[in-house]
Amino acid sequence: MPISTLHSKRERGLLDGQFLIAMPGMFDSSFARTVVYVCAHSADGAMGFVINRPQTLTFADVLLHLKLMGEQEIIRLPESTRDLQIQAGGPVESGRGFVLHSDDYLSESSIPVSDDICLTATLDIVRALSKGRGPSRAMMMLGYAGWGAGQLEEEIGNNGWLNCPASEELIFDRSIPDKYDRALALMGVSPAMLSTEAGHA
């Protein structure tokens, strides 16, 4: 599903606002032990963002690369902004940046993806964050995860993913290493309980 699907006014899909949690037998190694936040799901496909694959790239690196700030300005960035984590959001358009954020920041290009979370994929939010005028909670991703029509449903049917309602706290929590286990805990599941055999929780 192309990211542009989010721009159209649409009914919420069955998996909108859900976490996808990769099962141990996930056939695609790029999604092993990942948690994906689904932003759009319809008969045409689905798209979302991996929320637990940190990049070595920092927000300061992004600002320098985009020439939005110089080295001396970077030093004066507030710690909370300087430490904003950059995630590998998925394999589609991996050179393109997206910001998932709380709804206390809105620009003309911001797209609501749930009652409390928005998505902005333009430089205005990067500038706002760098000046301390951005949203109170934010996560930047490079790339996104996308599925064609029926593809995600088939993967779930083949025991590739578990799904549960998303937690805003978990999305924006900066403690990444245990996000997978904590997402499973939302369902009352521990990694030791999971099997690669077909069957559904």
Side-chain angles (χ1 to χ4, degrees):
M1 170 185 280
I3 193 80
S4 58
T5 304
L6 272 175
H7 289 267
S8 56
K9 186 74 175 169
R10 59 186 174 78
E11 296 277 325
R12 288 214 176 146
L14 184 65
L15 295 172
D16 280 18
Q18 295 265 314
F19 279 153
L20 298 175
I21 307 168
M23 287 288 282
M26 170 57 69
F27 61 90
D28 186 338
S29 61
S30 62
F31 287 110
R33 285 185 62 84
T34 58
V35 181
V36 177
Y37 174 60
V38 179
C39 293
H41 175 235
S42 72
D44 298 324
M47 64 82 56
F49 297 98
V50 176
I51 63 164
N52 66 329
R53 278 278 170 87
Q55 296 264 26
T56 54
L57 195 70
T58 66
F59 187 60
D61 293 331
V62 171
L63 294 174
L64 290 169
H65 174 74
L66 296 172
K67 297 183 169 55
L68 294 177
M69 278 192 170
E71 295 277 2
Q72 293 306 310
E73 294 171 292
I74 292 289
I75 293 168
R76 294 192 293 272
L77 274 177
E79 187 176 340
S80 60
T81 303
R82 192 168 53 246
D83 293 343
L84 181 73
Q85 289 175 327
I86 314 296
Q87 302 285 329
V92 184
E93 294 192 52
S94 57
R96 185 175 173 192
F98 303 89
V99 180
L100 271 179
H101 58 91
S102 49
D103 63 0
D104 52 355
Y105 170 90
L106 289 173
S107 72
E108 289 182 6
S109 56
S110 297
I111 305 162
V113 293
S114 77
D115 292 339
D116 306 305
I117 297 174
C118 297
L119 176 71
T120 305
T122 49
L123 281 180
D124 52 356
I125 192 167
V126 179
R127 290 191 185 96
L129 284 164
S130 71
K131 291 175 168 50
R133 296 200 298 264
S136 58
R137 311 183 86 176
M139 173 184 286
M140 178 176 280
M141 287 84 47
L142 295 178
Y144 66 93
W147 293 265
Q151 185 182 357
L152 180 56
E153 291 87 342
E154 183 178 350
E155 290 181 12
I156 291 172
N158 289 334
N159 211 40
W161 301 97
L162 293 172
N163 64 283
C164 69
S167 155
E168 184 179 345
E169 290 298 318
L170 197 59
I171 290 171
F172 295 116
D173 192 322
R174 295 188 180 189
S175 176
I176 305 297
D178 62 346
K179 266 194 183 183
Y180 180 78
D181 292 346
R182 285 186 292 147
L184 285 173
L186 293 174
M187 303 180 69
V189 174
S190 74
M193 294 166 63
L194 297 180
S195 165
T196 57
E197 299 299 316
H200 306 284

